[in-house]
Amino acid sequence: MTYRAKGRMENLEFVQFHPTGLYNPAGENPTFLISEAVRGEGAILRTKDGEEFMTKYDIRGSLAPRDIVARAIDKEMKMRGDECMYLDCTHLDEHAFTKHFPNIYEKCMSIGINPMQEMIPVTPVCHYLCGGILVDKMGRSSIQNLYACGECTSTGLHGANRLASNSLLEAMVFGHRIHLDLVERIDDLSWQDNIPEWDTFESKQPVEQVLITQELKELHEIMSYYVGIVRSNLRLKRAMDRLWILYRETEALYNDSAISPKLCELRNLITLAYLVSRSATMRRESRGLHFTTDYPGKLDFLDRSIL
Ligand SMILES: Cc1cc2nc3c(=O)[nH]c(=O)nc-3n(C[C@H](O)[C@H](O)[C@H](O)COP(=O)(O)OP(=O)(O)OC[C@H]3O[C@@H](n4cnc5c(N)ncnc54)[C@H](O)[C@@H]3O)c2cc1C
């Protein structure tokens, strides 16, 4: 919404993937996460044949940082044509495991996997967006009087690679700062109260749901296959070409049909997918969470992607 209102967006190519989402062929949204603490407890990542593969990529093995682990799993999956890799907990103490990870144990059991007897199927999942609406240190966006706070923003706090479990930093520190800034400015703010009611265009036809679900499916595939953990110029170009088609089709639907939350969500997702892909195309280096095979090295200066 901010981008459509001509607000500035920053560093949207830095998308963090959690390395070990529970792979459930039945499909589940959001994906259930197998906490990284499980690897901390001694669980080991393996292929379906039981081969330990992480030490090929990093001397820390399964304990390497999440972006390295996510990239390694992605590479092994692509090389072998497998849908997932596996987290082996079978050698861990059952009592300690069920005490420390009761939810994970219960969830695995609920889909028929006993983590003490068989390996847990895992796959990297999209987890956190470091970039977003460009804000200053008081949470002000580039649009007058529009504040933004939380994961939707780019505060610079996370750089190009966020550490795990620090969402509170954005939510609380910036929430508090916005409060302080507003208290100071509130008496000087002017309000526009002559905004017309939303015209619901009752005469317009409701959109056929299949059109939305199919576009969502395509969008999901485009982003997963072409703008995922490892990127390249060719993949990004393919993504941009296909997103352009989805964009045109969805704008036509939006203009000609009665709007619904699902249609608005699809439209927003396409805009965001475009922004992530465009920002990734602009960055000619690999840094933090952005990795491209065409520019594997890091530039020796900092460059921000601003749209
Ligand atoms: C599975 C999972 C596990 C995570 N675990 C951790 C963790 O352990 N530690 C950690 O620090 N972080 C974790 N994160 C990240 C963390 O949850 C998020 O960064 C944080 O919740 C973001 O808070 P937020 O308020 O900015 O956004 P959100 O919590 O996403 O809130 C945004 C709200 O806006 C609403 N909304 C969206 N669009 C519209 C619209 N058009 N109109 C009106 N409302 C709208 C949404 O419904 C939602 O309620 C995890 C994330 C995931 C997905």
Side-chain angles (χ1 to χ4, degrees):
M1 288 190 285
T2 304
Y3 179 71
R4 280 200 295 267
K6 315 287 180 217
R8 297 226 173 245
M9 312 295 291
E10 184 187 55
N11 289 349
L12 279 156
E13 67 277 32
F14 297 127
V15 181
Q16 182 170 62
F17 284 77
H18 192 288
T20 52
L22 176 64
Y23 174 71
N24 183 351
E28 206 174 338
N29 195 5
T31 306
F32 183 84
L33 297 182
I34 306 296
S35 162
E36 295 187 272
V38 176
R39 282 184 281 126
E41 195 85 359
I44 295 171
L45 282 161
R46 298 188 189 279
T47 64
K48 73 171 174 233
D49 308 320
E51 185 195 326
E52 188 282 326
F53 60 89
M54 268 313 302
T55 39
K56 272 193 307 196
Y57 298 92
D58 193 289
I59 47 165
R60 289 162 288 187
S62 293
L63 289 174
R66 60 167 58 162
D67 54 320
I68 295 175
V69 176
R71 268 204 293 277
I73 296 180
D74 182 69
K75 186 159 181 196
E76 291 290 326
M77 279 166 48
K78 289 206 169 103
M79 245 163 37
R80 295 163 190 271
D82 289 340
E83 298 268 295
C84 61
M85 289 288 119
Y86 293 85
L87 194 58
D88 184 4
C89 307
T90 55
H91 54 290
L92 302 181
D93 177 67
E94 181 163 359
H95 178 68
F97 189 91
T98 49
K99 191 163 166 247
H100 292 159
F101 310 112
N103 294 340
I104 294 175
Y105 182 78
E106 215 172 275
K107 177 68 192 182
C108 290
M109 292 298 271
S110 78
I111 61 164
I113 295 161
N114 181 344
M116 301 293 97
Q117 288 171 9
E118 56 203 305
M119 300 193 290
I120 305 173
V122 290
T123 177
V125 285
C126 189
H127 188 54
Y128 191 90
L129 197 46
C130 288
I133 302 162
L134 178 61
V135 291
D136 69 10
K137 65 182 184 355
M138 298 313 282
R140 296 178 186 180
S141 76
S142 60
I143 296 181
Q144 197 188 1
N145 296 339
L146 180 71
Y147 288 83
C149 177
E151 190 172 333
C152 64
T153 60
S154 176
T155 54
L157 282 175
H158 302 301
N161 196 352
R162 166 187 182 256
L163 293 171
S165 282
N166 55 7
S167 292
L168 274 179
L169 192 57
E170 265 168 346
M172 293 201 70
V173 174
F174 277 82
H176 182 60
R177 286 183 175 189
I178 289 172
H179 159 78
L180 293 178
D181 202 51
L182 268 175
V183 167
E184 212 166 275
R185 299 179 60 214
I186 196 101
D187 292 333
D188 304 328
L189 293 180
S190 57
W191 306 95
Q192 187 176 345
D193 46 19
N194 58 348
I195 298 169
E197 287 296 310
W198 181 261
D199 185 343
T200 51
F201 298 108
E202 288 300 353
S203 57
K204 288 191 174 180
Q205 289 296 312
V207 62
E208 279 183 285
Q209 285 307 301
V210 64
L211 295 177
I212 296 182
T213 46
Q214 189 54 30
E215 300 257 301
L216 269 175
K217 202 169 141 217
E218 280 178 44
L219 182 63
H220 183 251
E221 284 180 356
I222 294 168
M223 295 309 282
S224 300
Y225 294 131
Y226 298 136
V227 200
I229 299 172
V230 176
R231 298 156 180 175
S232 71
N233 287 345
L234 183 63
R235 288 185 206 171
L236 291 172
K237 167 86 173 63
R238 292 218 168 156
M240 293 291 276
D241 290 347
R242 282 153 179 78
L243 286 172
W244 174 235
I245 298 171
L246 289 189
Y247 170 75
R248 278 195 329 237
E249 288 174 354
T250 307
E251 286 304 297
L253 267 185
Y254 183 79
N255 290 330
D256 297 337
S257 334
I259 60 164
S260 65
K262 278 269 163 231
L263 180 56
C264 292
E265 184 182 42
L266 172 66
R267 191 168 174 246
N268 289 343
L269 285 170
I270 290 172
T271 304
L272 194 53
Y274 161 77
L275 290 170
V276 170
S277 311
R278 182 81 210 287
S279 306
T281 307
M282 282 160 56
R283 187 166 291 280
R284 289 166 181 242
E285 63 168 341
S286 292
R287 176 185 294 275
L289 298 166
H290 173 73
F291 185 84
T292 162
T293 50
D294 288 296
Y295 311 101
K298 196 180 346 183
L299 295 176
D300 52 11
F301 58 90
L302 283 179
D303 202 6
R304 298 154 76 196
S305 328
I306 298 184
L307 289 167

mmCIF file of all heavy atoms in Angstrom, residues 261-300:
data_model
loop_
_atom_site.group_PDB
_atom_site.id
_atom_site.type_symbol
_atom_site.label_atom_id
_atom_site.label_comp_id
_atom_site.label_asym_id
_atom_site.label_seq_id
_atom_site.Cartn_x
_atom_site.Cartn_y
_atom_site.Cartn_z
ATOM 1 N N PRO A 261 -11.498 -9.336 0.187
ATOM 2 C CA PRO A 261 -10.204 -9.406 0.873
ATOM 3 C C PRO A 261 -9.190 -10.278 0.122
ATOM 4 O O PRO A 261 -8.020 -9.937 0.012
ATOM 5 C CB PRO A 261 -10.555 -10.010 2.232
ATOM 6 C CG PRO A 261 -11.976 -9.620 2.460
ATOM 7 C CD PRO A 261 -12.615 -9.626 1.101
ATOM 8 N N LYS A 262 -9.667 -11.401 -0.459
ATOM 9 C CA LYS A 262 -8.740 -12.318 -1.169
ATOM 10 C C LYS A 262 -8.117 -11.629 -2.384
ATOM 11 O O LYS A 262 -6.934 -11.788 -2.664
ATOM 12 C CB LYS A 262 -9.510 -13.564 -1.642
ATOM 13 C CG LYS A 262 -9.660 -14.587 -0.557
ATOM 14 C CD LYS A 262 -8.482 -15.565 -0.593
ATOM 15 C CE LYS A 262 -8.347 -16.342 0.678
ATOM 16 N NZ LYS A 262 -7.054 -16.347 1.281
ATOM 17 N N LEU A 263 -8.952 -10.866 -3.103
ATOM 18 C CA LEU A 263 -8.445 -10.190 -4.297
ATOM 19 C C LEU A 263 -7.436 -9.108 -3.901
ATOM 20 O O LEU A 263 -6.388 -8.952 -4.535
ATOM 21 C CB LEU A 263 -9.628 -9.586 -5.087
ATOM 22 C CG LEU A 263 -9.282 -8.852 -6.370
ATOM 23 C CD1 LEU A 263 -8.500 -9.739 -7.334
ATOM 24 C CD2 LEU A 263 -10.560 -8.352 -7.063
ATOM 25 N N CYS A 264 -7.748 -8.373 -2.816
ATOM 26 C CA CYS A 264 -6.810 -7.329 -2.355
ATOM 27 C C CYS A 264 -5.499 -7.964 -1.908
ATOM 28 O O CYS A 264 -4.415 -7.447 -2.181
ATOM 29 C CB CYS A 264 -7.403 -6.548 -1.181
ATOM 30 S SG CYS A 264 -8.796 -5.558 -1.678
ATOM 31 N N GLU A 265 -5.615 -9.114 -1.237
ATOM 32 C CA GLU A 265 -4.406 -9.785 -0.752
ATOM 33 C C GLU A 265 -3.536 -10.227 -1.932
ATOM 34 O O GLU A 265 -2.324 -10.022 -1.941
ATOM 35 C CB GLU A 265 -4.787 -10.999 0.098
ATOM 36 C CG GLU A 265 -3.576 -11.665 0.708
ATOM 37 C CD GLU A 265 -3.911 -12.914 1.512
ATOM 38 O OE1 GLU A 265 -4.761 -13.707 1.055
ATOM 39 O OE2 GLU A 265 -3.335 -13.094 2.571
ATOM 40 N N LEU A 266 -4.191 -10.789 -2.960
ATOM 41 C CA LEU A 266 -3.447 -11.228 -4.147
ATOM 42 C C LEU A 266 -2.724 -10.031 -4.777
ATOM 43 O O LEU A 266 -1.546 -10.107 -5.124
ATOM 44 C CB LEU A 266 -4.418 -11.854 -5.160
ATOM 45 C CG LEU A 266 -3.815 -12.179 -6.521
ATOM 46 C CD1 LEU A 266 -2.764 -13.280 -6.403
ATOM 47 C CD2 LEU A 266 -4.900 -12.602 -7.514
ATOM 48 N N ARG A 267 -3.453 -8.926 -4.885
ATOM 49 C CA ARG A 267 -2.868 -7.733 -5.512
ATOM 50 C C ARG A 267 -1.661 -7.241 -4.694
ATOM 51 O O ARG A 267 -0.616 -6.916 -5.249
ATOM 52 C CB ARG A 267 -3.967 -6.673 -5.553
ATOM 53 C CG ARG A 267 -3.635 -5.481 -6.375
ATOM 54 C CD ARG A 267 -4.886 -4.667 -6.573
ATOM 55 N NE ARG A 267 -4.595 -3.426 -7.245
ATOM 56 C CZ ARG A 267 -4.720 -2.230 -6.685
ATOM 57 N NH1 ARG A 267 -5.155 -2.116 -5.446
ATOM 58 N NH2 ARG A 267 -4.429 -1.149 -7.372
ATOM 59 N N ASN A 268 -1.804 -7.238 -3.382
ATOM 60 C CA ASN A 268 -0.692 -6.809 -2.524
ATOM 61 C C ASN A 268 0.501 -7.758 -2.648
ATOM 62 O O ASN A 268 1.653 -7.330 -2.687
ATOM 63 C CB ASN A 268 -1.133 -6.749 -1.055
ATOM 64 C CG ASN A 268 -2.081 -5.590 -0.795
ATOM 65 O OD1 ASN A 268 -2.169 -4.662 -1.589
ATOM 66 N ND2 ASN A 268 -2.796 -5.652 0.314
ATOM 67 N N LEU A 269 0.203 -9.052 -2.701
ATOM 68 C CA LEU A 269 1.289 -10.037 -2.796
ATOM 69 C C LEU A 269 2.051 -9.888 -4.113
ATOM 70 O O LEU A 269 3.275 -10.022 -4.146
ATOM 71 C CB LEU A 269 0.728 -11.468 -2.686
ATOM 72 C CG LEU A 269 0.323 -11.898 -1.277
ATOM 73 C CD1 LEU A 269 -0.430 -13.224 -1.317
ATOM 74 C CD2 LEU A 269 1.555 -12.037 -0.384
ATOM 75 N N ILE A 270 1.325 -9.598 -5.188
ATOM 76 C CA ILE A 270 1.994 -9.431 -6.487
ATOM 77 C C ILE A 270 2.894 -8.191 -6.437
ATOM 78 O O ILE A 270 4.033 -8.210 -6.915
ATOM 79 C CB ILE A 270 0.965 -9.353 -7.638
ATOM 80 C CG1 ILE A 270 0.320 -10.729 -7.821
ATOM 81 C CG2 ILE A 270 1.616 -8.890 -8.944
ATOM 82 C CD1 ILE A 270 -0.835 -10.763 -8.792
ATOM 83 N N THR A 271 2.412 -7.126 -5.817
ATOM 84 C CA THR A 271 3.243 -5.922 -5.694
ATOM 85 C C THR A 271 4.515 -6.239 -4.904
ATOM 86 O O THR A 271 5.621 -5.864 -5.286
ATOM 87 C CB THR A 271 2.462 -4.797 -4.968
ATOM 88 O OG1 THR A 271 1.258 -4.571 -5.685
ATOM 89 C CG2 THR A 271 3.271 -3.517 -4.897
ATOM 90 N N LEU A 272 4.336 -6.954 -3.801
ATOM 91 C CA LEU A 272 5.492 -7.276 -2.960
ATOM 92 C C LEU A 272 6.466 -8.198 -3.703
ATOM 93 O O LEU A 272 7.686 -8.006 -3.637
ATOM 94 C CB LEU A 272 5.000 -7.929 -1.669
ATOM 95 C CG LEU A 272 6.021 -8.034 -0.562
ATOM 96 C CD1 LEU A 272 6.664 -6.692 -0.260
ATOM 97 C CD2 LEU A 272 5.374 -8.577 0.695
ATOM 98 N N ALA A 273 5.923 -9.170 -4.436
ATOM 99 C CA ALA A 273 6.777 -10.087 -5.205
ATOM 100 C C ALA A 273 7.581 -9.292 -6.235
ATOM 101 O O ALA A 273 8.777 -9.535 -6.435
ATOM 102 C CB ALA A 273 5.918 -11.144 -5.893
ATOM 103 N N TYR A 274 6.922 -8.336 -6.865
ATOM 104 C CA TYR A 274 7.617 -7.491 -7.845
ATOM 105 C C TYR A 274 8.740 -6.706 -7.160
ATOM 106 O O TYR A 274 9.865 -6.641 -7.656
ATOM 107 C CB TYR A 274 6.614 -6.529 -8.511
ATOM 108 C CG TYR A 274 7.280 -5.344 -9.166
ATOM 109 C CD1 TYR A 274 7.931 -5.475 -10.388
ATOM 110 C CD2 TYR A 274 7.302 -4.093 -8.533
ATOM 111 C CE1 TYR A 274 8.573 -4.389 -10.975
ATOM 112 C CE2 TYR A 274 7.948 -3.012 -9.109
ATOM 113 C CZ TYR A 274 8.580 -3.163 -10.326
ATOM 114 O OH TYR A 274 9.237 -2.098 -10.888
ATOM 115 N N LEU A 275 8.445 -6.140 -5.992
ATOM 116 C CA LEU A 275 9.444 -5.316 -5.292
ATOM 117 C C LEU A 275 10.653 -6.156 -4.861
ATOM 118 O O LEU A 275 11.797 -5.708 -4.975
ATOM 119 C CB LEU A 275 8.810 -4.635 -4.081
ATOM 120 C CG LEU A 275 7.798 -3.524 -4.399
ATOM 121 C CD1 LEU A 275 7.052 -3.093 -3.153
ATOM 122 C CD2 LEU A 275 8.497 -2.330 -5.033
ATOM 123 N N VAL A 276 10.387 -7.367 -4.367
ATOM 124 C CA VAL A 276 11.489 -8.249 -3.946
ATOM 125 C C VAL A 276 12.336 -8.614 -5.170
ATOM 126 O O VAL A 276 13.571 -8.519 -5.141
ATOM 127 C CB VAL A 276 10.932 -9.533 -3.263
ATOM 128 C CG1 VAL A 276 12.039 -10.557 -3.035
ATOM 129 C CG2 VAL A 276 10.250 -9.194 -1.943
ATOM 130 N N SER A 277 11.668 -8.989 -6.270
ATOM 131 C CA SER A 277 12.405 -9.414 -7.475
ATOM 132 C C SER A 277 13.181 -8.248 -8.074
ATOM 133 O O SER A 277 14.323 -8.396 -8.501
ATOM 134 C CB SER A 277 11.442 -9.960 -8.534
ATOM 135 O OG SER A 277 10.587 -10.896 -7.956
ATOM 136 N N ARG A 278 12.562 -7.086 -8.099
ATOM 137 C CA ARG A 278 13.222 -5.908 -8.679
ATOM 138 C C ARG A 278 14.450 -5.517 -7.841
ATOM 139 O O ARG A 278 15.517 -5.242 -8.377
ATOM 140 C CB ARG A 278 12.181 -4.768 -8.711
ATOM 141 C CG ARG A 278 12.609 -3.486 -9.292
ATOM 142 C CD ARG A 278 12.540 -3.491 -10.808
ATOM 143 N NE ARG A 278 13.547 -2.595 -11.372
ATOM 144 C CZ ARG A 278 13.474 -1.277 -11.341
ATOM 145 N NH1 ARG A 278 12.412 -0.682 -10.837
ATOM 146 N NH2 ARG A 278 14.430 -0.523 -11.836
ATOM 147 N N SER A 279 14.291 -5.536 -6.517
ATOM 148 C CA SER A 279 15.417 -5.189 -5.641
ATOM 149 C C SER A 279 16.547 -6.197 -5.824
ATOM 150 O O SER A 279 17.726 -5.835 -5.847
ATOM 151 C CB SER A 279 14.999 -5.186 -4.164
ATOM 152 O OG SER A 279 13.894 -4.364 -3.971
ATOM 153 N N ALA A 280 16.174 -7.490 -5.954
ATOM 154 C CA ALA A 280 17.191 -8.532 -6.149
ATOM 155 C C ALA A 280 17.914 -8.316 -7.476
ATOM 156 O O ALA A 280 19.129 -8.532 -7.575
ATOM 157 C CB ALA A 280 16.535 -9.913 -6.104
ATOM 158 N N THR A 281 17.177 -7.891 -8.496
ATOM 159 C CA THR A 281 17.785 -7.654 -9.807
ATOM 160 C C THR A 281 18.773 -6.494 -9.732
ATOM 161 O O THR A 281 19.813 -6.492 -10.384
ATOM 162 C CB THR A 281 16.672 -7.318 -10.839
ATOM 163 O OG1 THR A 281 15.700 -8.345 -10.788
ATOM 164 C CG2 THR A 281 17.214 -7.210 -12.241
ATOM 165 N N MET A 282 18.453 -5.516 -8.905
ATOM 166 C CA MET A 282 19.304 -4.322 -8.810
ATOM 167 C C MET A 282 20.630 -4.602 -8.094
ATOM 168 O O MET A 282 21.616 -3.919 -8.312
ATOM 169 C CB MET A 282 18.558 -3.205 -8.065
ATOM 170 C CG MET A 282 17.525 -2.495 -8.928
ATOM 171 S SD MET A 282 16.282 -1.627 -7.961
ATOM 172 C CE MET A 282 17.221 -0.553 -6.941
ATOM 173 N N ARG A 283 20.641 -5.582 -7.210
ATOM 174 C CA ARG A 283 21.859 -5.803 -6.406
ATOM 175 C C ARG A 283 22.842 -6.697 -7.152
ATOM 176 O O ARG A 283 22.569 -7.872 -7.376
ATOM 177 C CB ARG A 283 21.510 -6.407 -5.042
ATOM 178 C CG ARG A 283 22.724 -6.488 -4.130
ATOM 179 C CD ARG A 283 22.346 -6.757 -2.711
ATOM 180 N NE ARG A 283 21.660 -5.650 -2.079
ATOM 181 C CZ ARG A 283 22.239 -4.574 -1.573
ATOM 182 N NH1 ARG A 283 23.547 -4.448 -1.611
ATOM 183 N NH2 ARG A 283 21.519 -3.611 -1.022
ATOM 184 N N ARG A 284 23.989 -6.151 -7.511
ATOM 185 C CA ARG A 284 24.970 -6.920 -8.298
ATOM 186 C C ARG A 284 26.086 -7.441 -7.400
ATOM 187 O O ARG A 284 27.271 -7.145 -7.614
ATOM 188 C CB ARG A 284 25.501 -6.057 -9.428
ATOM 189 C CG ARG A 284 24.425 -5.887 -10.439
ATOM 190 C CD ARG A 284 24.608 -4.850 -11.452
ATOM 191 N NE ARG A 284 23.409 -4.876 -12.279
ATOM 192 C CZ ARG A 284 23.408 -5.146 -13.566
ATOM 193 N NH1 ARG A 284 24.517 -5.423 -14.178
ATOM 194 N NH2 ARG A 284 22.273 -5.137 -14.232
ATOM 195 N N GLU A 285 25.723 -8.144 -6.392
ATOM 196 C CA GLU A 285 26.677 -8.755 -5.463
ATOM 197 C C GLU A 285 25.899 -9.784 -4.654
ATOM 198 O O GLU A 285 24.664 -9.823 -4.706
ATOM 199 C CB GLU A 285 27.254 -7.696 -4.505
ATOM 200 C CG GLU A 285 26.181 -7.074 -3.623
ATOM 201 C CD GLU A 285 26.703 -6.236 -2.464
ATOM 202 O OE1 GLU A 285 27.875 -6.396 -2.085
ATOM 203 O OE2 GLU A 285 25.914 -5.439 -1.922
ATOM 204 N N SER A 286 26.630 -10.606 -3.880
ATOM 205 C CA SER A 286 25.971 -11.477 -2.907
ATOM 206 C C SER A 286 26.331 -10.943 -1.541
ATOM 207 O O SER A 286 27.515 -10.741 -1.232
ATOM 208 C CB SER A 286 26.457 -12.913 -3.060
ATOM 209 O OG SER A 286 26.012 -13.425 -4.286
ATOM 210 N N ARG A 287 25.308 -10.686 -0.751
ATOM 211 C CA ARG A 287 25.554 -10.118 0.582
ATOM 212 C C ARG A 287 24.448 -10.612 1.498
ATOM 213 O O ARG A 287 23.275 -10.586 1.126
ATOM 214 C CB ARG A 287 25.521 -8.589 0.490
ATOM 215 C CG ARG A 287 25.670 -7.872 1.847
ATOM 216 C CD ARG A 287 25.506 -6.369 1.677
ATOM 217 N NE ARG A 287 26.581 -5.774 0.885
ATOM 218 C CZ ARG A 287 27.765 -5.380 1.368
ATOM 219 N NH1 ARG A 287 28.018 -5.512 2.654
ATOM 220 N NH2 ARG A 287 28.674 -4.843 0.576
ATOM 221 N N GLY A 288 24.841 -11.046 2.683
ATOM 222 C CA GLY A 288 23.839 -11.456 3.673
ATOM 223 C C GLY A 288 22.862 -12.470 3.095
ATOM 224 O O GLY A 288 23.240 -13.522 2.596
ATOM 225 N N LEU A 289 21.579 -12.103 3.125
ATOM 226 C CA LEU A 289 20.541 -13.050 2.709
ATOM 227 C C LEU A 289 20.323 -13.084 1.211
ATOM 228 O O LEU A 289 19.516 -13.876 0.724
ATOM 229 C CB LEU A 289 19.224 -12.690 3.415
ATOM 230 C CG LEU A 289 19.306 -12.785 4.938
ATOM 231 C CD1 LEU A 289 18.122 -12.098 5.580
ATOM 232 C CD2 LEU A 289 19.379 -14.240 5.377
ATOM 233 N N HIS A 290 21.006 -12.209 0.474
ATOM 234 C CA HIS A 290 20.857 -12.218 -0.987
ATOM 235 C C HIS A 290 22.051 -12.926 -1.607
ATOM 236 O O HIS A 290 23.191 -12.475 -1.451
ATOM 237 C CB HIS A 290 20.762 -10.776 -1.503
ATOM 238 C CG HIS A 290 20.784 -10.686 -3.001
ATOM 239 N ND1 HIS A 290 19.718 -11.067 -3.779
ATOM 240 C CD2 HIS A 290 21.749 -10.273 -3.859
ATOM 241 C CE1 HIS A 290 20.025 -10.886 -5.051
ATOM 242 N NE2 HIS A 290 21.252 -10.404 -5.135
ATOM 243 N N PHE A 291 21.774 -14.039 -2.310
ATOM 244 C CA PHE A 291 22.868 -14.771 -2.947
ATOM 245 C C PHE A 291 22.530 -15.000 -4.409
ATOM 246 O O PHE A 291 21.468 -15.525 -4.740
ATOM 247 C CB PHE A 291 23.105 -16.121 -2.257
ATOM 248 C CG PHE A 291 24.296 -16.837 -2.816
ATOM 249 C CD1 PHE A 291 25.568 -16.544 -2.348
ATOM 250 C CD2 PHE A 291 24.148 -17.764 -3.840
ATOM 251 C CE1 PHE A 291 26.687 -17.177 -2.887
ATOM 252 C CE2 PHE A 291 25.265 -18.398 -4.389
ATOM 253 C CZ PHE A 291 26.532 -18.105 -3.911
ATOM 254 N N THR A 292 23.434 -14.555 -5.303
ATOM 255 C CA THR A 292 23.210 -14.787 -6.729
ATOM 256 C C THR A 292 24.447 -15.426 -7.339
ATOM 257 O O THR A 292 25.575 -15.012 -7.049
ATOM 258 C CB THR A 292 22.838 -13.483 -7.480
ATOM 259 O OG1 THR A 292 23.046 -13.696 -8.885
ATOM 260 C CG2 THR A 292 23.649 -12.286 -7.047
ATOM 261 N N THR A 293 24.216 -16.419 -8.204
ATOM 262 C CA THR A 293 25.345 -17.135 -8.807
ATOM 263 C C THR A 293 26.071 -16.234 -9.806
ATOM 264 O O THR A 293 27.228 -16.486 -10.131
ATOM 265 C CB THR A 293 24.855 -18.409 -9.533
ATOM 266 O OG1 THR A 293 23.777 -18.036 -10.390
ATOM 267 C CG2 THR A 293 24.380 -19.458 -8.559
ATOM 268 N N ASP A 294 25.425 -15.177 -10.303
ATOM 269 C CA ASP A 294 26.092 -14.293 -11.272
ATOM 270 C C ASP A 294 27.067 -13.331 -10.606
ATOM 271 O O ASP A 294 28.015 -12.876 -11.236
ATOM 272 C CB ASP A 294 25.038 -13.501 -12.056
ATOM 273 C CG ASP A 294 24.315 -14.410 -13.032
ATOM 274 O OD1 ASP A 294 24.975 -14.923 -13.941
ATOM 275 O OD2 ASP A 294 23.106 -14.647 -12.837
ATOM 276 N N TYR A 295 26.821 -12.984 -9.351
ATOM 277 C CA TYR A 295 27.740 -12.092 -8.615
ATOM 278 C C TYR A 295 27.987 -12.698 -7.239
ATOM 279 O O TYR A 295 27.437 -12.225 -6.231
ATOM 280 C CB TYR A 295 27.128 -10.682 -8.462
ATOM 281 C CG TYR A 295 26.579 -10.103 -9.745
ATOM 282 C CD1 TYR A 295 25.210 -10.125 -9.998
ATOM 283 C CD2 TYR A 295 27.427 -9.550 -10.704
ATOM 284 C CE1 TYR A 295 24.700 -9.611 -11.183
ATOM 285 C CE2 TYR A 295 26.917 -9.040 -11.888
ATOM 286 C CZ TYR A 295 25.559 -9.072 -12.118
ATOM 287 O OH TYR A 295 25.054 -8.579 -13.290
ATOM 288 N N PRO A 296 28.803 -13.765 -7.152
ATOM 289 C CA PRO A 296 28.954 -14.448 -5.861
ATOM 290 C C PRO A 296 29.737 -13.650 -4.811
ATOM 291 O O PRO A 296 29.640 -13.932 -3.628
ATOM 292 C CB PRO A 296 29.697 -15.743 -6.223
ATOM 293 C CG PRO A 296 30.269 -15.520 -7.575
ATOM 294 C CD PRO A 296 29.524 -14.432 -8.247
ATOM 295 N N GLY A 297 30.505 -12.638 -5.244
ATOM 296 C CA GLY A 297 31.311 -11.886 -4.277
ATOM 297 C C GLY A 297 30.546 -10.698 -3.675
ATOM 298 O O GLY A 297 29.465 -10.326 -4.131
ATOM 299 N N LYS A 298 31.179 -10.123 -2.644
ATOM 300 C CA LYS A 298 30.566 -8.966 -1.957
ATOM 301 C C LYS A 298 31.274 -7.687 -2.392
ATOM 302 O O LYS A 298 32.507 -7.667 -2.464
ATOM 303 C CB LYS A 298 30.736 -9.176 -0.449
ATOM 304 C CG LYS A 298 29.830 -8.264 0.326
ATOM 305 C CD LYS A 298 29.850 -8.321 1.818
ATOM 306 C CE LYS A 298 30.436 -9.328 2.660
ATOM 307 N NZ LYS A 298 30.247 -9.174 4.072
ATOM 308 N N LEU A 299 30.537 -6.633 -2.693
ATOM 309 C CA LEU A 299 31.162 -5.354 -3.034
ATOM 310 C C LEU A 299 31.849 -4.801 -1.790
ATOM 311 O O LEU A 299 31.434 -5.096 -0.662
ATOM 312 C CB LEU A 299 30.111 -4.346 -3.517
ATOM 313 C CG LEU A 299 29.376 -4.672 -4.824
ATOM 314 C CD1 LEU A 299 28.304 -3.628 -5.108
ATOM 315 C CD2 LEU A 299 30.362 -4.753 -5.988
ATOM 316 N N ASP A 300 32.867 -3.949 -1.986
ATOM 317 C CA ASP A 300 33.545 -3.445 -0.788
ATOM 318 C C ASP A 300 32.946 -2.112 -0.326
ATOM 319 O O ASP A 300 33.536 -1.388 0.458
ATOM 320 C CB ASP A 300 35.064 -3.359 -0.995
ATOM 321 C CG ASP A 300 35.417 -2.590 -2.241
ATOM 322 O OD1 ASP A 300 34.484 -1.965 -2.787
ATOM 323 O OD2 ASP A 300 36.581 -2.632 -2.669
#
